[in-house]
Amino acid sequence: MFDLIIRNANLPDGRTGMDIACKDDVIVAVEAGITAEAAAVIDADGCLVSPPFVDPHFHMDATLSLGRPRMNASGTLLEGIALWGELQPIQTVDEIIERALRYCDLAVSQGIGAIRSHVDVCDDELKGVQALLEVRNQVKEYLDLQLVAFPQGGALRDPTAMTNTVRALDMGVDVMGGIPHFERTMTDGADSLRQQCEMAADRGLLVDIHCDESDDPLSRHVETLAYETQRLGMHGRVTGSHLTSMHSMDNYYVSKLIPLMVEAELHAIPNPAINIMLQGKSDTYPKRRGMTRVRELRDAGLTLGFGSDCVMDPWYSLGKADMLDIAFMGLHVGQLCSREDMAWCFDAVTQNSAKIMHLEGYGLDKGCQANMVVLQAQDKIEAVRLRANRLAVIRKGRVIAETPRQTSTLSLTGRPDQLDPAAYAPKT
Ligand code: FE2
């Protein structure tokens, strides 16, 4: 007797008509025609069943603060950072907790099962750290929240950031963060990376650096990040987030840089919505897109995940915790338009991001955690095309969120009276 069986599921690897049996929080069988009984049964009816969405880059200490204390008038990254500096002293721990929990509700409803959130450590009271550690504990039964110690003001430029980073890690923050392009000089940026990577190596931590988030073609911090990763033997444990300067770099230099990144087994997290919104703002025309070289990094062998970065905060006033929106944006900005490329964009917000976060038990194999989302789409491409409805979100073998199937009622003479948006795709 199983706890749950999902019947007639299409899987991300292309298998169709599969049953997924769950017991004691894990997947115990994935095969066609399981005959055993279960306490609960979901008929997927040919819909795609995926492991949960994973957001590998977010700022939960700022989310849902849009308009407080004022709007970002210029819409620039730098005014956003200035605005965040105005909000920091006036927001309370309770306020951050309340906003973060509301965001987590939204994220779960959209099928997100794990989030890596940066948390600013430049506030000497560490209000964000206190708040998000509490939130991580409160949501752990339904959402994996991984926290990154992030010195928004610069690890060396802010006088107490390094001390506060140590405090935050001692309090239980999971991952080492950084922002070398925000230091006063390239040399300081490189020095900050060296210190952060050494501290992470000593503590056995993963690293995720806001790296070269600018349009400066001469920003070179990802080279240093690859060097430190290789020097310290941290292969596969270090991520460069954003990497937008790579969009503008000289092609010859990039032909040297990417092999260094491959050698270090760096991971990369572009954030398509925020990158296309914030980068290239000082250009006239032609206007740079600003997202990093997704196709080239992927084809070289790096693992890339798409992150959302911001939802309704000082930097970005839109967003709805929908990782398929992010995949859709990444697909367009990166011109990832072959069938294989489009399916890969789905992987970028699921399995690739899970690999970057080192999530354990992620996937749909026997023995994986029984965490899934049932989508109103038949395959990965259709899921991205429709930003498909999340019919059911399952955590540890239990349905924790449901959304009714989307249909429209038509009143057209001689035409069908019901329209299902998922019925338009070619059968693949
Ligand atoms: Fe970020």
Side-chain angles (χ1 to χ4, degrees):
M1 181 82 166
F2 298 122
D3 297 333
L4 171 70
I5 292 180
I6 302 172
R7 296 204 179 278
N8 193 18
N10 289 0
L11 304 187
D13 64 9
R15 284 179 289 170
T16 61
M18 302 300 289
D19 296 344
I20 304 167
C22 311
K23 187 167 179 59
D24 298 333
D25 301 349
V26 299
I27 294 170
V28 292
V30 182
E31 54 196 72
I34 294 175
T35 55
E37 302 266 302
V41 176
I42 294 174
D43 182 4
D45 193 22
C47 285
L48 178 64
V49 177
S50 168
F53 294 112
V54 177
D55 188 350
H57 188 114
F58 194 62
H59 293 263
M60 200 174 281
D61 50 356
T63 194
L64 305 185
S65 67
L66 179 66
R68 189 155 193 269
R70 61 181 176 82
M71 290 290 179
N72 182 339
S74 67
T76 59
L77 174 61
L78 290 179
E79 184 174 345
I81 293 173
L83 185 48
W84 175 240
E86 294 171 33
L87 177 59
Q88 277 276 38
I90 61 172
Q91 66 177 352
T92 65
V93 173
D94 287 346
E95 181 184 334
I96 301 169
I97 291 173
E98 187 273 333
R99 289 197 317 250
L101 287 174
R102 275 202 300 134
Y103 183 80
C104 290
D105 295 342
L106 182 63
V108 167
S109 77
Q110 296 303 308
I112 293 177
I115 299 174
R116 173 181 278 182
S117 175
H118 297 254
V119 51
D120 191 0
V121 296
C122 289
D123 156 35
D124 288 343
E125 294 177 67
L126 292 179
K127 286 184 283 193
V129 172
Q130 293 179 53
L132 293 193
L133 286 170
E134 172 64 24
V135 170
R136 185 180 69 182
N137 189 47
Q138 285 195 33
V139 304
K140 65 185 177 190
E141 289 303 313
Y142 55 87
L143 184 69
D144 298 314
L145 181 55
Q146 193 178 75
L147 300 177
V148 186
F150 174 56
Q152 176 73 76
L156 303 180
R157 188 170 176 175
D158 183 287
T160 55
M162 283 306 267
T163 309
N164 290 348
T165 297
V166 173
R167 289 171 57 206
L169 296 174
D170 288 345
M171 288 165 71
V173 168
D174 307 282
V175 177
M176 175 65 76
I179 183 167
H181 55 275
F182 204 67
E183 302 295 349
R184 290 189 176 89
T185 65
M186 281 294 295
T187 306
D188 273 3
D191 195 29
S192 72
L193 285 177
R194 180 184 56 77
Q195 292 186 42
Q196 286 156 346
C197 287
E198 287 180 352
M199 194 186 303
D202 286 346
R203 290 172 175 253
L205 301 178
L206 301 178
V207 176
D208 190 333
I209 301 293
H210 281 66
C211 198
D212 299 323
E213 188 185 1
S214 77
D215 297 316
D216 177 3
L218 297 178
S219 197
R220 293 285 189 259
H221 296 298
V222 64
E223 176 185 281
T224 304
L225 186 63
Y227 171 77
E228 293 296 341
T229 301
Q230 187 272 338
R231 180 177 72 86
L232 295 164
M234 298 181 73
H235 302 76
R237 301 177 60 79
V238 177
T239 297
S241 279
H242 292 293
L243 304 175
T244 50
S245 66
M246 287 189 71
H247 184 96
S248 300
M249 283 175 182
D250 171 71
N251 290 326
Y252 185 86
Y253 172 67
V254 171
S255 75
K256 171 202 169 191
L257 175 63
I258 290 180
L260 295 176
M261 296 169 72
V262 172
E263 178 187 53
E265 297 173 33
L266 284 190
H267 306 309
I269 302 178
N271 295 285
I274 202 84
N275 294 158
I276 199 68
M277 184 68 97
L278 294 181
Q279 302 309 137
K281 276 188 101 75
S282 61
D283 291 359
T284 55
Y285 292 93
K287 204 171 181 64
R288 286 170 288 180
R289 293 176 179 222
M291 191 169 75
T292 195
R293 304 186 187 208
V294 171
R295 181 189 301 281
E296 291 75 8
L297 292 170
R298 181 200 64 180
D299 291 351
L302 267 66
T303 300
L304 280 82
F306 287 150
S308 68
D309 204 3
C310 302
V311 169
M312 289 187 279
D313 69 7
W315 296 275
Y316 189 66
S317 58
L318 304 174
K320 55 185 174 69
D322 187 342
M323 295 312 295
L324 288 173
D325 273 352
I326 301 302
F328 190 80
M329 181 67 79
L331 184 157
H332 283 80
V333 180
Q335 297 179 319
L336 297 160
C337 46
S338 72
R339 304 296 286 177
E340 293 76 16
D341 285 345
M342 289 192 285
W344 178 87
C345 289
F346 186 91
D347 297 340
V349 293
T350 51
Q351 64 184 30
N352 294 5
S353 292
K355 179 182 174 187
I356 290 170
M357 287 178 63
H358 288 224
L359 296 181
E360 293 180 4
Y362 181 90
L364 289 185
D365 296 324
K366 182 178 176 182
C368 289
Q369 292 182 29
N371 302 337
M372 287 161 273
V373 55
V374 184
L375 294 155
Q376 191 179 344
Q378 66 175 355
D379 59 31
K380 294 192 286 189
I381 295 173
E382 190 178 49
V384 175
R385 181 178 71 86
L386 295 172
R387 275 81 81 213
N389 200 8
R390 284 72 165 164
L391 297 169
V393 180
I394 296 156
R395 177 83 172 188
K396 298 182 178 177
R398 189 173 71 85
V399 175
I400 59 169
E402 289 180 278
T403 304
R405 192 173 186 91
Q406 182 191 348
T407 59
S408 299
T409 301
L410 300 179
S411 299
L412 302 172
T413 304
R415 301 303 304 155
D417 57 3
Q418 291 290 321
L419 184 150
D420 177 352
Y424 278 71
K427 294 297 177 189
T428 54

